[in-house]
Amino acid sequence: MDALWTFILNERFWLAGNTTWKDFARLEKDENIKLTNPNDLIYVYPLAGIIYVIRVLFERYVAKPIGRSLGIQDRVGRNTTKDLKTTATTVSNRSKPININQTYQQEQVVSNDSGSSVSTVRYSRITRLAKFSESCWRFTFYLSAFIYGVVILLNKSWTWDTRHCWLNYPNQPLTADIFWYYMIELAFYWSLLFSQFIDVKRKDFWQMFLHHIATIMLLSFSYIANYVRVGSLVLVIHDCADYWLEGAKMAIYTRSKQISDALFMIFAIVWFITRICYYPYKILYTTLFEGVSILESCPAAYYVFNGLLSLLYVLHYFWFYLICRIAITALKSGQVKDERSDSEDSDGDDKNK
């Protein structure tokens, strides 16, 4: 086991120049400072479990009561399949889907000799209140994480001059606020990785799964190699757009169309500014160019780190394409429709908000 751990933490892979793990320990002792330690990551796993428990309690005792007070019904559809028969004339004259007061997914439509349409529908166990509760939890976390990130980064030198992400490396003290910022965010993404299999299923399920894997690897890599300065900037950039989207979705579930449209447009603008423009201009620039010019030599982990950052940027473009599709659809139809969500796309109640 020790040999495997030594192989995983190979100094030539992780550290720049002639830096060793002993140098980290010596700096901590001589300078009386704390540096990143790979063993710290063990705290992430129990913390991820705690965050998931907090989520369950929050959704049950906070989010659902809020949703019910806003008029969202907590009705669970039957887990069966049945036929709904209507005449072709009645169907053609309807401007809205049949209202059965439940969430359903239409699977097929066939015609019979009598001119009737037969729609086979499958009732879902996911209610609008459950969707609202999930979005409410994510909204609360993303907003809280963003505010916390802004507060702790305002007085950090590397926030205003990204060269400080690399100057004096590895003698870069790890403060308690950055430590907890990393631990909580990393634990949150671990909880998302596993809860994704029980949350509302969306069309970009595997893209989101890949995003969570890349984010976890990125945070873990940057923590082990003590690239937490640039890593903290990546975190705050990502958090600043996400809560706008969750807020828009919450408004959709409460049938507040004007509010949802406004929040979604703000989300799209913030996404474009932070992830399409600022992210490559500041983050990728400092990791691809400033880091190389300041560090004496770059270890293999540095290039893996850049590869993960580049992968995130590719995913940013993929989701921005979906955002543009949603915006175009909204302009044509007058309603925001989440292109990523299978269950939401087929939700009869949600379509008619």
Side-chain angles (χ1 to χ4, degrees), residues 212-344:
H212 297 335
I213 291 291
T215 303
I216 290 171
M217 292 180 63
L218 180 64
L219 291 175
S220 300
F221 269 54
S222 61
Y223 189 85
I224 293 174
N226 199 20
Y227 299 150
V228 294
R229 292 188 173 186
V230 67
S232 61
L233 296 179
V234 174
L235 285 174
V236 75
I237 287 174
H238 280 71
D239 287 335
C240 69
D242 290 335
Y243 67 88
W244 291 107
L245 175 61
E246 299 303 332
K249 291 164 68 176
M250 290 166 60
I252 288 177
Y253 302 141
T254 59
R255 300 182 178 180
S256 303
K257 181 183 178 300
Q258 292 182 339
I259 296 178
S260 67
D261 289 350
L263 291 177
F264 180 80
M265 293 308 297
I266 294 174
F267 159 73
I269 294 172
V270 172
W271 181 287
F272 178 76
I273 294 174
T274 58
R275 301 202 191 187
I276 303 300
C277 299
Y278 185 85
Y279 182 84
Y281 177 71
K282 297 299 278 188
I283 304 300
L284 291 182
Y285 177 79
T286 191
T287 58
L288 291 174
F289 300 102
E290 291 180 341
V292 173
S293 63
I294 294 175
L295 298 178
E296 294 181 1
S297 62
C298 300
Y302 181 83
Y303 298 102
V304 175
F305 181 64
N306 275 288
L308 292 171
L309 288 174
S310 300
L311 174 61
L312 281 182
Y313 192 50
V314 171
L315 291 173
H316 291 171
Y317 260 101
F318 169 77
W319 282 308
F320 186 66
Y321 162 73
L322 295 182
I323 291 170
C324 291
R325 285 184 55 183
I326 296 171
I328 293 173
T329 301
L331 290 174
K332 291 181 178 180
S333 64
Q335 64 179 10
V336 173
K337 175 181 174 182
D338 191 350
E339 294 282 348
R340 304 178 309 123
S341 176
D342 284 331
S343 57
E344 289 165 23

Side-chain angles (χ1 to χ4, degrees), residues 44-324:
V44 168
Y45 305 110
L47 189 56
I50 293 173
I51 288 178
Y52 182 76
V53 172
I54 293 174
R55 171 191 171 172
V56 172
L57 296 175
F58 178 88
E59 290 185 2
R60 176 173 297 183
Y61 297 108
V62 178
K64 285 189 175 181
I66 292 175
R68 292 190 185 100
S69 69
L70 295 174
I72 303 176
Q73 297 180 347
D74 189 12
R75 294 183 179 180
V76 180
R78 292 173 293 177
N79 192 27
T80 59
T81 301
K82 75 174 188 176
D83 292 339
L84 296 176
K85 296 183 178 181
T86 58
T87 63
T89 302
T90 303
V91 172
S92 63
N93 289 334
R94 284 185 180 273
S95 61
K96 298 181 180 180
I98 301 172
N99 183 6
I100 56 176
N101 296 323
Q102 298 291 347
T103 300
Y104 64 86
Q105 294 181 348
Q106 182 171 327
E107 293 179 339
Q108 59 182 353
V109 178
V110 297
S111 298
N112 57 24
D113 295 336
S114 62
S116 299
S117 296
V118 181
S119 299
T120 302
V121 296
R122 175 167 54 84
Y123 291 86
S124 171
R125 292 186 179 275
I126 302 173
T127 65
R128 281 198 303 126
L129 185 59
K131 297 176 187 178
F132 175 87
S133 300
E134 178 187 322
S135 291
C136 187
W137 159 250
R138 296 192 181 195
F139 171 85
T140 303
F141 180 86
Y142 289 136
L143 179 59
S144 301
F146 173 66
I147 294 175
Y148 178 78
V150 170
V151 169
I152 66 173
L153 289 174
L154 277 176
N155 64 346
K156 299 295 190 290
S157 59
W158 62 87
T159 302
W160 313 106
D161 185 353
T162 52
R163 292 177 301 171
H164 286 275
C165 291
W166 316 106
L167 292 173
N168 205 30
Y169 178 88
N171 188 14
Q172 297 177 339
L174 176 66
T175 56
D177 51 5
I178 296 296
F179 171 80
W180 285 111
Y181 191 33
Y182 248 75
M183 293 297 107
I184 293 174
E185 288 273 12
L186 190 51
F188 176 74
Y189 279 104
W190 270 112
S191 70
L192 282 185
L193 184 67
F194 293 109
S195 66
Q196 186 179 1
F197 292 92
I198 60 175
D199 290 338
V200 178
K201 297 298 186 295
R202 295 181 169 87
K203 293 179 181 179
D204 64 344
F205 176 89
W206 291 110
Q207 288 87 350
M208 285 300 299
F209 186 80
L210 179 62
H211 172 270
H212 297 335
I213 291 291
T215 303
I216 290 171
M217 292 180 63
L218 180 64
L219 291 175
S220 300
F221 269 54
S222 61
Y223 189 85
I224 293 174
N226 199 20
Y227 299 150
V228 294
R229 292 188 173 186
V230 67
S232 61
L233 296 179
V234 174
L235 285 174
V236 75
I237 287 174
H238 280 71
D239 287 335
C240 69
D242 290 335
Y243 67 88
W244 291 107
L245 175 61
E246 299 303 332
K249 291 164 68 176
M250 290 166 60
I252 288 177
Y253 302 141
T254 59
R255 300 182 178 180
S256 303
K257 181 183 178 300
Q258 292 182 339
I259 296 178
S260 67
D261 289 350
L263 291 177
F264 180 80
M265 293 308 297
I266 294 174
F267 159 73
I269 294 172
V270 172
W271 181 287
F272 178 76
I273 294 174
T274 58
R275 301 202 191 187
I276 303 300
C277 299
Y278 185 85
Y279 182 84
Y281 177 71
K282 297 299 278 188
I283 304 300
L284 291 182
Y285 177 79
T286 191
T287 58
L288 291 174
F289 300 102
E290 291 180 341
V292 173
S293 63
I294 294 175
L295 298 178
E296 294 181 1
S297 62
C298 300
Y302 181 83
Y303 298 102
V304 175
F305 181 64
N306 275 288
L308 292 171
L309 288 174
S310 300
L311 174 61
L312 281 182
Y313 192 50
V314 171
L315 291 173
H316 291 171
Y317 260 101
F318 169 77
W319 282 308
F320 186 66
Y321 162 73
L322 295 182
I323 291 170
C324 291

